Every structure is written in C-alpha cells, then in structure tokens.
Amino acid sequence: MSDSQTYTPSPEFTSRAHVKGMDEYRELYQQALREGENFWAPLAEKELTWFKPFARALEWDPPSAKWFSGGRINACYNCLDRHLLTERRTKPALIWEGEPGDSRVYTYEDLHLAVCRFATVLKDLGFKSHDRAIIYMPMVPELAIAVLACARLGIIHSVVFGGFSAEALRTRTQDLNAELVITADGGWRRGKEIRLKDAVDQALEECPLVRQVIVYQRTGSALNMTPDRDVWWHERDERLSTSRPTEVAAENCAAQDLDSEHPLFVLYTSGTTGKPKGILHTTAGYLLQTTLSMRWVFDLREDDIYWCTADIGWVTGHSYVVYGPLSAGATTVMYEGAPDFPAFDRWWQIVAKHKVSIFYTSPTAIRSLVRQGEQWPNAHDLSSLRLLGSVGEPINPAAWEWYYRVIGKERCPIVDTWWQTETGGIMIAPMPGAIPLKPGSATLPLPGIEADIVDSRGEQITQPNREGFLIIRRPWPGMARTIWGDPRRYEEQYWSRVPDAYFTGDAARRDADGYFWILGRVDDVMNVSGHRLSTMEVESALVHHPAVAEAAVVAKPHDVTGQAVCCFVTLKAGDWDHGKLSTELRQWVAREIGPFARPEEVRFTDALPKTRSGKIMRRLLREIVTTNAVTGDTTTLEDITVLSRLSTVHEED
Ligand code: PRX
C-alpha cells in the first residue's frame, strides 16, 4: 500500500552509490523516455567491449528486434579477456564452495585459462559456431566454464537445471536439435549424490542427433560410458597438456568474432501449454542489460563479494551468477548444495567465510530459513553484507522485515527485483541509493523500461491500486528475441495481447507513489519456490500414469514455497488404494518433471467440473483449494454435483 512503511536509503549508502537520490533516478528515467532506443547506444559503447562498433541502436520490426546491428562482439571475451588487461587479472572471478566442504577460487586469469582449455576441447571435437549444446551439470565451476566456453565459440547453449528429470532433458534436447551434451557423473545435494549421467543415458535413447557427451567427474561413482559417444572431460583436458603446441593454442583459444545478434543461449521455461518454451537470448543486448543492472541495482563496487544463490539452470543463474557479474568484473560466489546442509546455517557460514557483501536469493529460501529461527544467522558474523536482494516471486512483508532485520541488521537495503526469463535482466527494482523501499514492492522500473498497467481492453489504468495486466511499452536490449523453433507462439503470447507492447503474463497494481506491486501470474503458470511450472505440464505427466483418466492442476497458496501444486484426479475403473496411489502419483510427477514439481496434494474425484464445451473450470478448483468453498457463477457447470464429491487424500512425505 502507498502508506505502508518506507525505508529511505541511508545518507551513507547514497553518498557512495552509483545513482544518488530520487532526482538522479528521475532524470535518468526521463532521459531514457525522451531518447528512446538511442538512450542505450552510449551505454553499449561504454559498458561493452566491441570487436567492431555497431551502426544502429535498434532495428524494430515488431515483434522482431535487432539491437546494435552491425556490431561484432563476444560475450565470453567481455566476461573474461577484457578484464585481463586491467588490475582485475589477479582478482578472484569465481569463488566456489562444494557441498561436502571442498572449495576453489579462480582469478580472472585462472578462469580465462580454464575456459580457453575447454573451448579447445570443444573445437578439437569438431564443434563450432551455431552448433547447439545441452549443459546438464551440478553447480560446480565447470558448469560456468562450459557455459563460457560455448559462448566463446558461438555454440548456442541450453542449460537444463540438474533437478530436471531424464524426460524433461529429452524433450529439451530434441527441441533444440542438440548435437552435444555436457554433463557430470553427478553432484551433491544434502549429502546424497544426484546422478546426472544416468538421466543423460536414458534421455539420449531417443535423441539420435547427439553425437558427443562430455562427462565431468565430480562424484567419482560408477557409470556407463558409451564408446565413441562419451568422453571424459579430464581425459580430454590432459590430452591438451601432453602436446606442447596444442597447449599454447589452448591458452589463447581466441574468442569468436560474432554478430551482436548471435544466439547466445536458449533457456526452456514453462508456458501455458504442456510444452516448455525455448526462450532465445542473443549476445550484445542481453549482455548490456545484465552488466548495467549490476551497477544500477546491485550498486556493484570493485571490492564487492557478490553471491546470487540461484542455480545456473534458471535464468537468474545465467544473468546474475555468470554473465552479469563477470562482465561487470565482479567476484561471483557459487555454491553447489542445499542451504540446510549439514545445518541451517550453511549459507551464513559461507557469507562469513568469504565476506560476502551483496547477497541475492529468493523469498522461498528466506521463508524456509525464518522457520528455523534467528539463532542460525546470529551465530555468524554477517557484518560484511551491505546489500540484499530478492527475486522470483512476491516477497511478503513479514519475510522482508525478517531479511532486513535479522540478515541485514537494518543496515542493508533490499532490492526486490521483478523480471522474467523472457526479459533477460532485471526490469523493475529499486536503485538502492535512490529509491525508498516499501516491503513487498519491486518499486519502480529501471531507466529505459516503460512498464505500465492496462485493463483487459488494453486501456491504461491510471487509478492507484487498481489491478491490471503488467506490460512493457517498448523494446529493451535484453528482451528475448523469439521462442526457439516457434516464432508464431512468440508473437502470439507476448506481442499480440496489447498493441505495440510486451505482455508479461503478470498482474500488478501501482500505488499512489507509482510503485509497482506484482500480484502473480494471470495465466496457467504456477510459481513454486520461485520456479515457473505449467499446470498443463503436470497434468500431462499425470495422465501418462496408467491409473489416471483425467487430471486438473491448480496452484494452492503455501506458507513457504509461495504456491504449491494441487492435483485433482479422476481414475480409470478399478479398485484403487487412494492413499498408496496418492504417494505414487506425487512421485510419478517428480520423476517425470523433476523433484521440485512434486505435488503437495492429490485429490481424487468422480468427475472434474467442466463447462458445457468441456473446458475444465480451474477457477472453481482454485477456489476450492484456497478457501475450501465455491462462490460465484457456477451455471456453466456440466455437472454441478461433482463439486460436492471432491474428496481429499493428502499425504506428507
Ligand atoms: O510472476 C513473476 C515472478 O516470476 C515470473 C518469472 O519467472 P521466471 O521466468 O522463472 O524468472 C524468475 C526469475 C527472474 C514472473 O512473471 N517474479 C519474478 N520476480 C518477481 C516475481 N514476482 C514478484 N516479485 C518479483 N520480484
């Protein structure tokens, strides 16, 4: 609410910040509005290192955008090589903590060498610009190295989160027409091995295009290596060292000179259908947006130790563990495992050990730590922290206050950052030295981002606090360029709902001070622990089970994960043990999609509420799980009696 408590940045923070005060923010925002795409041109010249300057800021033929056309650039060069010419050469680029307690530090020089070596391995295996690689790895430095080596050669990478199942890996590998998979034997999570190579073997049974699998050895457990197809990362790397000329070449493996619009990566995300969308990001615009936001939002300084806890398998990890921080010359921290292993203070121990100054995580993580009590963070010296961040879902004021008080000791501003896989970088968030904070609001859009709220007819909503659709009125450099292999879907979903505007799929309201309050998705996309998950994806997993006739899935509010998956299921004829089947179906979904998608609840019913045209009335189901009551108009129900027959079977893990 507009009158909720505000937190004004301290004069001390503001005096050292990149953007000092509201006037400076407003001036920058107005300048961007006035100058349109030309606002970005001097920023792109200054923030990025080009092999050849671009000719034009933007060629816009809606919905097709070409940013910085004519320019030649390489993302990996910007993340590594250019820093080697400065004092950053010996600065830590990557600090890594493994879950079992192993740790590694790479300076910019070390990381550059490791990336050049792996890029040489890729080149020697015959991979080149425009080829496509799936990367399915735990959170080890080699994941970042693989990403950067692909970028160095112009290989289009698609990182699949290590928590996804073999089935999810298969569909993504097929959709991308990938020829290469980079993986590991496994990774550590809560002391257990998450076996990745087994899932790769299973997925690749139906991916004939994949000709090579490179396996990094992390856990050392036994696995099958398919002759000709599978090679060990370390063996290939050792081979480079045995022949002197190749070693010299490896250390200097040149970054490819690529077009500004060269496809950098495809990242799959859930949409409203059962089929995930391959969101394509290209090079220069994406890099500019992520680099700039390191300064604008995280207020990055040369001596910061910056830690974003996201897995690189999600967009937050792409933009704010790898590309943004490294391009901006930061020290980025990466942790392999679970926040509660071996105990609930693992994160705070890492913060204290490495003197982390900027810490960026999700509301779900904060809420789960709130539950464990203040004694865990209080046992560690968190005085190095100066800025906190939140991403992925709305943060409730209670969690915000706890984060502010217990972790930030009422000293650290909290940047609540709203953005999406499709936006590439942060869109609405406070510039922390300028914008007073309100718990639960992502505050104001960044310069160059013309966010607005419209009603269902596309008319602008000007009254404060009236809910509507969040849209972005003009293109921005970090925007997705298309959906891989499906440009029509890209146009329909994002650029046809409101004329000349990008449709975010989120509902929001703006308060009397112009602050944005994000209210959640308006489509059939759920947000579980800050991860996007489509109701249709879970439904199609359920109907693959031999016992299931029909399924309808809705999100249910959840104290820790924000939303949880709730399934309504009708069964085929048979004598089913509902208790057992409920457990089995929840495991089934976890296996089909990934453990993070495991339903919280399965309810069995004789029939699902449907309209006369046969469409499932999810609205009613949502009401049932939210309030346990049904209100509103139910006259379109095909069989109203089904509502009273919905019964609950719910089992905890
Ligand atoms: O609903 C919004 C929510 O997460 C969605 C984007 O999910 P994804 O593409 O997976 O990217 C997550 C990380 C950027 C959005 O449509 N969301 C993201 N950040 C916030 C948020 N909701 C409220 N507040 C946020 N700060």
Side-chain angles (χ1 to χ4, degrees):
M1 298 295 151
S2 58
D3 55 353
S4 69
Q5 185 171 2
T6 58
Y7 294 76
T8 309
S10 70
E12 193 193 333
F13 192 99
T14 297
S15 67
R16 294 190 60 190
H18 288 289
V19 179
K20 299 178 176 59
M22 268 316 253
D23 290 347
E24 204 174 309
Y25 161 73
R26 285 208 187 93
E27 212 176 286
L28 209 54
Y29 194 82
Q30 288 307 322
Q31 183 198 343
L33 277 187
R34 266 193 325 270
E35 295 179 358
E37 66 248 34
N38 294 325
F39 170 72
W40 300 102
L43 293 170
E45 280 161 16
K46 181 168 154 262
E47 297 288 339
L48 303 178
T49 303
W50 297 84
F51 297 147
K52 180 176 164 233
F54 52 88
R56 272 181 75 178
L58 173 66
E59 288 176 44
W60 179 226
D61 178 13
S64 154
K66 284 194 183 134
W67 281 94
F68 311 119
S69 52
R72 308 289 296 179
I73 193 163
N74 183 288
C76 179
Y77 184 93
N78 273 272
C79 288
L80 299 175
D81 304 52
R82 64 167 168 166
H83 303 309
L84 303 187
L85 308 170
T86 70
E87 284 179 2
R88 289 187 187 138
R89 185 181 188 96
T90 51
K91 168 178 173 169
L94 179 66
I95 296 178
W96 174 77
E97 283 283 321
E99 196 189 72
D102 41 349
S103 181
R104 279 189 257 163
V105 179
Y106 288 78
T107 62
Y108 271 94
E109 194 170 36
D110 299 336
L111 194 58
H112 175 261
L113 176 60
V115 169
C116 283
R117 290 181 74 91
F118 190 61
T120 306
V121 167
L122 295 177
K123 249 173 40 180
D124 287 353
L125 289 169
F127 294 101
K128 56 184 189 319
S129 178
H130 287 285
D131 288 348
R132 283 146 331 268
I134 290 280
I135 304 179
Y136 185 61
M137 293 183 83
M139 281 286 281
V140 290
E142 285 69 18
L143 167 52
I145 290 165
V147 161
L148 290 164
C150 286
R152 194 164 188 85
L153 300 182
I155 297 171
I156 305 164
H157 65 72
S158 185
V159 184
V160 176
F161 171 54
F164 272 118
S165 66
E167 179 58 19
L169 180 64
R170 178 183 66 79
T171 51
R172 285 156 175 77
T173 309
Q174 288 174 339
D175 188 77
L176 191 70
N177 280 333
E179 298 114 323
L180 166 67
V181 174
I182 305 169
T183 188
D185 43 5
W188 298 110
R189 185 133 186 120
R190 293 206 177 85
K192 288 207 197 95
E193 184 189 9
I194 306 287
R195 292 180 64 85
L196 297 175
K197 176 62 166 52
D198 293 353
V200 169
D201 289 341
Q202 204 185 322
L204 294 195
E205 281 170 16
E206 292 172 64
C207 302
L209 276 186
V210 173
R211 65 175 172 88
Q212 201 87 71
V213 178
I214 304 177
V215 188
Y216 174 71
Q217 191 170 42
R218 165 70 181 136
T219 59
S221 63
L223 49 77
N224 288 320
M225 294 290 276
T226 303
D228 299 330
R229 191 194 69 182
D230 300 354
V231 295
W232 285 106
W233 177 310
H234 61 272
E235 281 181 6
R236 288 282 152 171
D237 188 69
E238 277 157 22
R239 227 189 246 199
L240 296 179
S241 310
T242 51
S243 74
R244 180 83 194 134
T246 340
E247 187 193 354
V248 173
E251 286 175 15
N252 298 300
C253 172
Q256 287 276 307
D257 175 326
L258 301 168
D259 191 86
S260 295
E261 283 293 340
H262 185 84
L264 181 60
F265 65 83
V266 172
L267 184 58
Y268 286 88
T269 186
S270 294
T272 47
T273 70
K275 190 173 182 278
K277 302 181 277 196
I279 300 298
L280 176 75
H281 281 287
T282 59
T283 304
Y286 170 80
L287 206 60
L288 175 62
Q289 203 104 39
T290 51
T291 310
L292 265 176
S293 50
M294 290 305 298
R295 249 181 289 290
W296 280 353
V297 182
F298 296 113
D299 194 47
L300 186 74
R301 290 186 211 146
E302 200 55 54
D303 56 355
D304 273 318
I305 307 288
Y306 161 92
W307 183 16
C308 164
T309 65
D311 192 290
I312 295 175
W314 307 104
V315 75
T316 308
H318 282 63
S319 301
Y320 296 109
V321 176
V322 182
Y323 287 113
L326 293 177
S327 170
T331 298
T332 183
V333 177
M334 193 173 158
Y335 167 57
E336 177 184 29
D340 56 356
F341 190 86
F344 293 107
D345 59 348
R346 184 64 190 269
W347 278 3
W348 315 127
Q349 184 219 330
I350 295 173
V351 167
K353 176 176 170 190
H354 296 295
K355 303 205 167 17
V356 171
S357 55
I358 303 174
F359 180 73
Y360 188 34
T361 194
S362 70
T364 289
I366 298 162
R367 287 188 294 260
S368 67
L369 292 166
V370 169
R371 280 193 160 185
Q372 307 308 326
E374 297 180 18
Q375 71 277 17
W376 297 102
N378 286 348
H380 297 275
D381 175 8
L382 305 182
S383 61
S384 56
L385 290 171
R386 66 176 196 91
L387 182 70
L388 303 174
S390 169
V391 61
E393 49 183 321
I395 180 164
N396 50 309
W400 195 102
E401 306 275 356
W402 187 90
Y403 198 26
Y404 187 74
R405 182 174 56 80
V406 179
I407 306 303
K409 313 289 182 212
E410 303 182 12
R411 240 183 331 98
C412 310
I414 297 178
V415 290
D416 177 356
T417 62
W418 177 86
W419 59 294
Q420 307 176 301
T421 305
E422 294 86 340
T423 69
I426 296 169
M427 303 288 278
I428 304 179
M431 287 178 150
I435 298 177
L437 309 172
K438 297 186 192 185
S441 167
T443 73
L444 299 168
L446 293 179
I449 306 302
E450 201 185 336
D452 208 346
I453 297 180
V454 296
D455 63 20
S456 53
R457 289 165 311 167
E459 303 285 332
Q460 186 184 38
I461 294 179
T462 49
Q463 299 100 305
N465 292 319
R466 235 192 78 198
E467 182 178 336
F469 300 113
L470 178 65
I471 60 158
I472 312 292
R473 288 222 181 262
R474 58 173 85 190
W476 65 99
M479 64 194 265
R481 299 301 194 260
T482 191
I483 295 176
W484 183 260
D486 202 350
R488 271 243 316 271
R489 191 176 176 194
Y490 175 73
E491 178 159 12
E492 275 164 22
Q493 298 219 325
Y494 303 115
W495 294 97
S496 20
R497 296 281 297 263
V498 179
D500 298 326
Y502 167 80
F503 188 78
T504 65
D506 277 346
R509 63 184 172 82
R510 210 167 4 192
D511 69 18
D513 298 325
Y515 277 44
F516 284 80
W517 297 77
I518 312 295
L519 303 167
R521 303 287 308 185
V522 295
D523 50 15
D524 288 324
V525 173
M526 300 175 282
N527 190 327
V528 180
S529 309
H531 298 145
R532 251 158 87 166
L533 188 60
S534 131
T535 54
M536 297 276 283
E537 246 173 303
V538 180
E539 285 165 10
S540 60
L542 284 168
V543 296
H544 279 143
H545 189 279
V548 175
E550 272 191 310
V553 170
V554 291
K556 172 185 164 169
H558 191 279
D559 284 351
V560 174
T561 58
Q563 292 188 329
V565 179
C566 181
C567 313
F568 291 84
V569 168
T570 64
L571 296 174
K572 290 182 184 156
D575 188 14
W576 305 108
D577 175 339
H578 285 186
K580 251 167 105 181
L581 196 56
S582 164
T583 309
E584 191 179 316
L585 289 176
R586 292 166 64 229
Q587 271 162 4
W588 176 270
V589 174
R591 214 178 47 228
E592 289 266 308
I593 301 175
F596 71 96
R598 183 194 306 273
E600 160 94 355
E601 198 174 335
V602 174
R603 297 186 184 196
F604 297 103
T605 168
D606 291 349
L608 292 167
K610 289 187 189 159
T611 60
R612 283 182 219 291
S613 62
K615 219 172 145 228
I616 293 169
M617 297 181 78
R618 284 210 184 73
R619 176 181 64 80
L620 288 177
L621 300 176
R622 266 195 297 270
E623 275 184 59
I624 291 170
V625 299
T626 314
T627 61
N628 263 328
V630 183
T631 53
D633 180 19
T634 55
T635 52
T636 48
L637 266 186
E638 186 186 55
D639 177 4
I640 197 138
T641 59
V642 294
L643 288 177
S644 56
R645 282 191 261 129
L646 291 163
S647 66
T648 309
V649 178
H650 177 201
E651 289 208 346
E652 288 301 332
D653 271 317

